[in-house]
Amino acid sequence: RLNDFAFSGDGEPTTYKRFHEAVAAAAQLRSDHDLDDVKLVLITDAACLHQPQAIRGLEIMDQSNGEVWGKLDAGTEPFYRQVNRTAVPFDRVLKNLATCAAARPIVIQSLFFRQHAAPPPEAEIQAWLERLEVIEASGSIREVHVYTIARTPTEPWCAPLNDREVDGIVESAGERLTCPVKGFYGPP
């Protein structure tokens, strides 16, 4: 069965200068083949949602059963830099997620894992929750997905959280947010 047309992968899809044209082509295929129940899904790190090609692509998605799944793996700038290893300012990602959520309901995907055998610090989880509350207050979060590493990472100091740790983050988020929060687990 065909569930969705997903824009994702190794590299950020919204950096492609013709992203909006790719979304338009997928939307046209969806329409031409009477696939009204098939979603267009953008899985994004939210770094470029402010770019013109992304804005145009999102407008097309809004008219075509589209969903945005935005990544938010941290609550503070230092943790964001450590986990995401990017030069993109954390504030830009946060602003883009809030702006996107103000225009349409979004899904937030958050990856947490053990670093050097330790789970994320509780202060970081609390900061992440504060960021989610701000995004939720500025618009609509359809759902939050909390997940951990599902396959062997390239870094030897990374390991999945156990089910109890994932559940703890999900419970904390469920107590503070109005949207549904779901946990996704690592290997047994």
Side-chain angles (χ1 to χ4, degrees), residues 23-173:
V23 173
Q28 188 63 52
L29 280 170
R30 184 180 162 271
S31 175
D32 289 350
H33 295 282
D34 296 320
L35 300 171
D36 296 336
D37 292 336
V38 176
K39 298 182 238 182
L40 299 179
V41 178
L42 169 62
I43 301 171
T44 177
D45 65 10
C48 296
L49 291 178
H50 64 289
Q51 298 283 345
Q53 69 272 9
I55 293 168
R56 288 195 300 271
L58 291 175
E59 290 168 351
I60 296 165
M61 289 180 67
D62 290 342
Q63 300 166 12
S64 304
N65 196 25
E67 284 187 12
V68 176
W69 293 18
K71 295 275 294 146
L72 183 62
D73 302 330
T76 64
E77 179 85 26
F79 196 79
Y80 167 76
R81 293 251 169 256
Q82 180 182 15
V83 172
N84 291 79
R85 296 182 181 174
T86 179
V88 175
F90 188 46
D91 284 343
R92 180 189 306 159
V93 169
L94 294 170
K95 181 179 179 188
N96 284 348
L97 288 170
T99 300
C100 191
R104 69 199 51 79
I106 65 171
V107 174
I108 299 287
Q109 290 193 307
S110 298
L111 170 67
F112 293 104
F113 54 92
R114 293 179 157 283
Q115 296 181 55
H116 305 287
E122 183 58 30
E124 188 60 35
I125 299 299
Q126 294 306 311
W128 169 76
L129 288 168
E130 290 169 12
R131 304 298 188 174
L132 287 173
E133 287 173 326
V134 169
I135 294 167
E136 191 173 47
S138 68
S140 177
I141 299 177
R142 175 176 287 144
E143 201 167 70
V144 172
H145 296 170
V146 176
Y147 66 103
T148 193
I149 295 170
R151 52 188 180 262
T152 305
T154 56
E155 299 292 352
W157 47 266
C158 296
L161 297 178
N162 63 44
D163 292 359
R164 191 180 82 256
E165 291 166 327
V166 171
D167 287 341
I169 297 170
V170 169
E171 288 171 21
S172 293

